[in-house]
Amino acid sequence: MEFNPQEIDPKAIYKLLTGIIIPRPIGWVSSISADGIPNLAPFSFFNAVGDDPPHVMFSASAHGKANKDTLNNVLTTKQFVVNMVTEELTERMNLTAHPLPTHESEFEFAGVTPIASVKVKPPRVLESPITMECELVHHYTLEDNKFGGSTILVGRIVMFHVNDELLLEDYKINLDLYQPVSRLAGHHYSKLGELFSIKRV
C-alpha cells in the first residue's frame, strides 16, 4: 500500500507515523508559567539532537489551534526540564497527560513531588532518577498545517541530574536499575526487553 499524506485524513497520518516510528523515548517535560504555576506533561516526539553542546528536542502539538500550556510556558520563560520516565513512574506520567485548567498543576494531580532546579526556574520531578535542566535555544512551528500543527522546541542542557545508584564507571548508565519506558502506538508502551550488542566496524 502507498499513502500520500496530502490525500489521507490527519488521524490516519498520526496512526501511521506513531505506529511506524517505535519505540520513542518519553520526554516528561516540566515548565512554569509567568505566574509561577508549574506544569508537567509527557511528550513522545522527543529525543537527543546533539552532544557538543548537549541539546534535546520535543514537539508540542496544538489542539484546535490552542497551544498546550507547556508550549506557552516554554516560549514565555525560555526554560524547561526533561524528567525521564521509568517503569515505576508510568502510571503517574500517564495522569499528567490529562488536560487540566491552566491554573492547576499536574504535579499535585499526579502525586509527584516538585523539587527546585539548579539553573532554571521550572521544578524537577523528585521521583524521576534522571532529569535534565534546559534552556530554549530554538523553536519552529511546522508550516502548512491544518489543525494548529506542531512546534519543535530545541533546548540546551545546562544541568544533568543522575541518581548515584544508576551511574556506572565512565559515566555509563545502569540499564537494569534505570528501567526506562518508551511509547508505542495507541495505548501501548514498552520496556527495554532483550538487549543485544553489535560492535561498530
Side-chain angles (χ1 to χ4, degrees):
M1 298 289 289
E2 296 178 340
F3 302 100
N4 183 336
Q6 295 181 334
E7 298 175 352
I8 59 176
D9 187 84
K11 289 184 178 180
I13 295 174
Y14 178 81
K15 289 180 180 179
L16 286 170
L17 194 64
T18 57
I20 292 169
I21 302 176
I22 57 172
R24 299 185 306 281
I26 301 167
W28 203 12
V29 177
S30 52
S31 60
I32 195 166
S33 71
D35 296 327
I37 300 171
N39 179 273
L40 183 61
F43 295 87
S44 67
F45 289 176
F46 158 78
N47 220 314
V49 292
D51 64 334
D52 184 22
H55 284 71
V56 293
M57 64 74 61
F58 72 97
S59 178
S61 299
H63 293 285
K65 297 291 184 179
N67 289 343
K68 290 185 176 181
D69 290 339
T70 300
L71 177 56
N72 289 333
N73 291 349
V74 175
L75 292 180
T76 300
T77 67
K78 313 298 183 187
Q79 296 179 336
F80 62 94
V81 177
V82 176
N83 309 273
M84 300 308 294
V85 179
T86 61
E87 293 179 28
E88 183 181 357
L89 292 172
T90 305
E91 292 292 340
R92 282 178 278 183
M93 174 276 298
N94 189 49
L95 286 174
T96 63
H98 184 77
L100 293 181
T102 301
H103 65 276
E104 295 183 18
S105 173
E106 289 79 6
F107 279 87
E108 183 176 353
F109 182 75
V112 292
T113 310
I115 183 174
S117 297
V118 175
K119 292 192 173 184
V120 299
K121 291 183 179 179
R124 299 180 288 123
V125 174
L126 175 64
E127 291 81 1
S128 175
I130 298 178
T131 62
M132 295 169 283
E133 300 180 26
C134 302
E135 294 181 347
L136 181 69
V137 297
H138 182 67
H139 71 278
Y140 172 73
T141 300
L142 301 182
E143 299 176 350
D144 195 28
N145 61 75
K146 298 179 180 178
F147 302 101
S150 298
T151 299
I152 300 166
L153 300 115
V154 179
R156 179 171 181 166
I157 300 171
V158 295
M159 184 65 69
F160 288 97
H161 300 268
V162 182
N163 284 7
D164 292 347
E165 63 269 21
L166 297 187
L167 203 58
L168 300 173
E169 293 182 2
D170 197 27
Y171 301 96
K172 294 179 180 178
I173 302 297
N174 187 325
L175 295 179
D176 291 331
L177 295 180
Y178 182 17
Q179 297 183 331
V181 295
S182 57
R183 192 77 163 86
L184 302 177
H187 301 296
H188 301 297
Y189 293 82
S190 69
K191 303 176 183 179
L192 285 182
E194 182 180 355
L195 305 180
F196 66 93
S197 301
I198 300 177
K199 289 187 176 181
R200 292 188 179 183
V201 293

